[in-house]
Amino acid sequence: MAKFFVNSEDVFENEIHIKGTDVNHIKNVLRLPVGKEILINNRQGKDYKCIIKLIDTDLVTADIIGELEETTEPAVQTVLFQSLIKGEKMEFVIQKAIEIGVTVIIPIITERCIVKLESDKKTKSKCERWQKIAESAAKQSKRGIVPEVLWPMTFKEALTYAKQQLEVSCIPFENEHAYHIKTYLKNCKAKSIGIFIGPEGGFTDEEVLLASTFQISPITLGKRILRSETAGLVTLANIMYEMGEI
């Protein structure tokens, strides 16, 4: 059953209005007819089972026939602090992290980042594209929310955010050999976890040392060196497995 996300103000007592690009998607891509059942989410974790009542030029109206209990969202909240990496790789990470179950993605600017942000206008455009990818992935994987991709932060800003907003955080690091992710997660009972992932060239020793002063634990993902676009997904998948979400 196709799933769509709307803003809460478009949810009324007996019907829901779908606007924007989803109207074209319903009409011309999926070719859904009047009378077709669909799922609609209010971006706040509530799903509605609906039937399409009217398809207009720029509006689809659907009747609410029931509310569904949300079962797809993980009990553990995860924030992926992903160092900026080249275009398609960054988009891949966003898409797959959302499929796995990430709650928030925060692009971060680290010392060895190859990608450099330019003007605020171009950064805004990137963020808007990343959020569209996030929404598409949330639809495909039947998420109960659309995870946010926040405005990029500096490494220091991200460390501060993690310390203030999350119970624990970890930083996979190629020079860490003793503290394995399996041990870290076995002892972890937190309901919110941050994951710091370095860029193509990895974190510097100084960055990892700084992270440690913010109580962020360096961990190893094993004997093999993983690419930046792989490391975050592996860490997320391990968290979901250990927390009983996979």
Side-chain angles (χ1 to χ4, degrees):
M1 190 183 300
K3 184 169 185 174
F4 303 92
F5 289 89
V6 300
N7 295 325
S8 56
E9 59 265 28
D10 292 319
V11 179
F12 302 93
E13 185 176 355
N14 298 310
E15 66 180 28
I16 298 177
H17 293 173
I18 300 175
K19 305 172 183 175
T21 57
D22 278 338
V23 175
N24 178 68
H25 194 66
I26 288 170
K27 290 169 58 178
N28 302 317
V29 179
L30 297 177
R31 298 183 182 275
L32 300 179
V34 170
K36 184 71 174 179
E37 286 190 5
I38 57 175
L39 288 178
I40 302 178
N41 183 280
N42 67 352
R43 297 180 187 271
Q44 297 175 2
K46 181 176 286 189
D47 281 340
Y48 299 88
K49 190 175 182 180
C50 301
I51 293 179
I52 296 176
K53 179 172 69 174
L54 176 68
I55 301 176
D56 210 336
T57 305
D58 54 2
L59 178 71
V60 172
T61 304
D63 284 331
I64 298 171
I65 59 174
E67 295 184 17
L68 301 179
E69 182 180 353
E70 178 50 57
T71 59
T72 62
E73 284 307 300
V76 59
Q77 294 185 339
T78 49
V79 177
L80 176 61
F81 297 90
Q82 172 65 54
S83 295
L84 289 170
I85 52 178
K86 293 179 181 178
E88 290 184 359
K89 294 179 181 179
M90 191 73 180
E91 293 175 4
F92 175 84
V93 168
I94 291 168
Q95 181 188 64
K96 300 308 176 187
I98 287 170
E99 289 179 21
I100 293 169
V102 78
T103 309
V104 177
I105 298 172
I106 303 179
I108 59 174
I109 304 159
T110 53
E111 188 172 332
R112 290 176 177 163
C113 279
I114 297 172
V115 176
K116 305 297 180 185
L117 294 177
E118 300 177 27
S119 65
D120 281 354
K121 183 178 180 180
K122 288 186 176 180
T123 301
K124 183 174 183 288
S125 178
K126 275 183 181 289
C127 289
E128 288 173 349
R129 174 166 174 76
W130 290 336
Q131 194 60 48
K132 286 179 181 177
I133 291 169
E135 179 155 338
S136 178
K139 288 178 185 175
Q140 184 275 326
S141 55
K142 299 292 191 293
R143 292 289 302 268
I145 61 168
V146 178
E148 282 190 280
V149 183
L150 301 188
W151 189 271
M153 296 183 183
T154 65
F155 186 58
K156 183 69 176 293
E157 288 171 339
L159 294 176
T160 302
Y161 180 100
K163 185 175 182 180
Q164 293 177 348
Q165 303 294 329
L166 303 171
E167 292 180 55
V168 298
S169 294
C170 63
I171 182 166
F173 184 46
E174 62 188 58
N175 293 333
E176 172 60 41
H177 303 293
Y179 199 21
H180 198 278
I181 184 173
K182 185 174 182 179
T183 306
Y184 173 75
L185 292 175
K186 185 177 181 181
N187 299 323
C188 181
K189 306 300 180 185
K191 293 298 183 181
S192 60
I193 303 175
I195 305 158
F196 282 78
I197 300 297
E200 285 88 348
F203 287 116
T204 64
D205 290 340
E206 291 75 17
E207 285 174 323
V208 175
L209 181 61
L210 178 61
S212 297
T213 67
F214 283 76
Q215 289 77 54
I216 295 170
S217 304
I219 60 170
T220 176
L221 298 179
K223 298 177 182 179
R224 291 165 295 282
I225 303 300
L226 303 181
R227 291 181 180 273
S228 180
E229 64 269 28
T230 309
L233 303 181
V234 167
T235 307
L236 271 171
N238 271 276
I239 290 171
M240 293 301 161
Y241 177 79
E242 289 295 332
M243 300 296 179
E245 298 291 345
I246 292 179

